[in-house]
């Protein structure tokens, strides 16, 4: 596992205190699935949706900006919205310029957040892959620092600090459910845990990036459709995260758009947690029964993003 030598527990642990002044230690909420009309079961929700910029992405963004020299041209990122908002926020806090490229599928709530952090925003292309290509052309023309949403060692290390934080909060869990798009989040978390708990990926049926990669034995193109396409549909998982996932992610579970919508509504209606579709995907696996815990299993679910308007639920 070549990337195991790059994204290590030691590097994650060393990075955590560096980004700590800029990120929140997000709370955990223990819920009983009986509150969601299911058999009683205690489930811990790690509410990373309450992180600065509205998602876990702030961790990777600050890691990149603190670890890599930023040129006068500033930074550039392509994003479905959350990574762009995080990079814009980190750049604003650290005094750098930022240019963010997003596809047309990005929701207004995410565009408003990016603009609110003072970044230059460029909207174009149907999906993330087109925004990424445009951002790379911009970087080539200007010399701006590219900050990749998931296929970047600093990004993986930054997201891995969330694994460290979850272990600190919930040292007794057996299983953690994590949504997957490009895989930076689950890659970093899996690198931190290194097989010490069961990590289960959850993906939309319309964007099964890790699922297809597991089937093929390497990252391959997958559909990029569905309600969570702005955050969980990058076309394929990152080359850097895949060996980590092969080693430390137990399996990938697919959930439908209807499952995700039901999870969003349930989180809002029953516990007043706002989550975007990608942020609710992991909870959708347990709410829908697609992940069925064994008796006595201690399960945690990562609610990873909240850049959505509950009026639209």
């Amino acid at each position: 596992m070549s990337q195991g030598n790059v994204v290590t527990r030691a590097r994650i642990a060393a990075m955590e205190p560096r980004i700590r002044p800029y990120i929140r230690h997000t709370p955990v909420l223990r819920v009983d699935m009986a509150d969601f009309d299911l058999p009683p079961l205690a489930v811990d929700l790690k509410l990373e949706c309450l992180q600065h910029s509205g998602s876990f992405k702030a961790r990777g963004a600050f890691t990149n900006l603190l670890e890599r020299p930023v040129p006068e041209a500033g930074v550039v990122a392509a994003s479905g919205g959350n990574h762009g908002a995080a990079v814009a926020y980190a750049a604003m806090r650290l005094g750098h310029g930022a240019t963010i490229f997003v596809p047309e599928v990005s929701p207004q709530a995410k565009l408003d957040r990016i603009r609110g952090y003072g970044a230059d925003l460029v909207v174009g292309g149907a999906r993330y892959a087109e925004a990424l290509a445009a951002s790379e052309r911009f970087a080539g023309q200007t010399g701006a620092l590219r900050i990749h949403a998931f296929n970047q060692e600093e990004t993986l290390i930054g997201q891995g600090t969330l694994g460290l934080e979850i272990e600190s909060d919930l040292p007794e869990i057996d299983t953690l459910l994590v949504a997957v798009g490009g895989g930076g989040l689950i890659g970093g978390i899996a690198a931190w845990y290194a097989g010490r708990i069961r990590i289960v990926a959850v993906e939309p049926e319309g964007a099964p990036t890790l699922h297809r990669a597991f089937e093929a034995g390497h990252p391959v193109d997958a559909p990029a459709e569905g309600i969570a396409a702005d955050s969980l549909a990058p076309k394929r998982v990152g080359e850097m995260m895949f060996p980590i996932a092969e080693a430390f992610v137990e399996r990938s579970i697919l959930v439908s758009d209807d499952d995700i919508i039901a999870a969003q509504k349930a989180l809002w209606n029953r516990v007043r947690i706002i989550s975007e579709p990608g942020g609710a995907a992991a909870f959708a696996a347990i709410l829908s029964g697609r992940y069925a815990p064994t008796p006595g299993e201690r399960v945690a679910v990562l609610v990873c993003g909240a850049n959505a308007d509950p009026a639209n639920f």
Side-chain angles (χ1 to χ4, degrees), residues 3-125:
Q3 296 306 332
N5 296 324
V6 175
V7 185
T8 63
R9 283 173 53 82
R11 290 189 70 188
I12 292 167
M15 196 66 223
E16 200 278 342
R18 291 198 65 200
I19 64 171
R20 176 53 53 195
Y22 304 103
I23 61 170
R24 292 179 179 136
H25 188 133
T26 52
V28 171
L29 175 67
R30 180 162 294 176
V31 298
D32 188 334
M33 294 309 295
D35 294 336
F36 300 90
D37 304 320
L38 292 174
L41 173 71
V43 172
D44 291 304
L45 305 179
K46 175 61 170 174
L47 301 181
E48 189 67 7
C49 52
L50 301 180
Q51 187 55 259
H52 288 298
S53 78
S55 83
F56 70 92
K57 297 277 192 177
R59 296 172 183 270
F62 276 109
T63 299
N64 272 279
L65 287 170
L66 292 170
E67 285 283 275
R68 302 167 66 197
V70 178
E72 189 173 338
V75 299
V76 60
S79 170
N82 284 342
H83 176 62
V87 171
Y89 174 76
M92 179 188 72
R93 285 287 308 272
L94 296 174
H96 303 295
T99 303
I100 309 297
F101 289 78
V102 300
E104 294 160 3
V105 71
S106 297
Q108 192 63 44
K110 296 184 180 182
L111 305 185
D112 292 344
R113 191 169 276 261
I114 293 168
R115 289 192 180 101
Y117 294 140
D120 292 330
L121 180 65
V122 182
V123 181

Side-chain angles (χ1 to χ4, degrees), residues 206-257:
T209 52
L210 185 57
H211 196 87
R212 290 283 180 89
F214 278 156
E215 289 177 340
H218 56 89
V220 294
D221 287 355
E225 304 300 333
I227 191 172
D230 64 300
S231 60
L232 300 182
K235 198 171 185 180
R236 64 167 63 191
V237 292
E239 297 283 346
M240 295 189 72
M241 70 77 62
F242 185 69
I244 302 171
E246 273 199 311
F248 300 131
V249 175
E250 183 183 87
R251 66 186 188 274
S252 166
I253 292 172
L254 301 182
V255 293
S256 69
D257 279 1

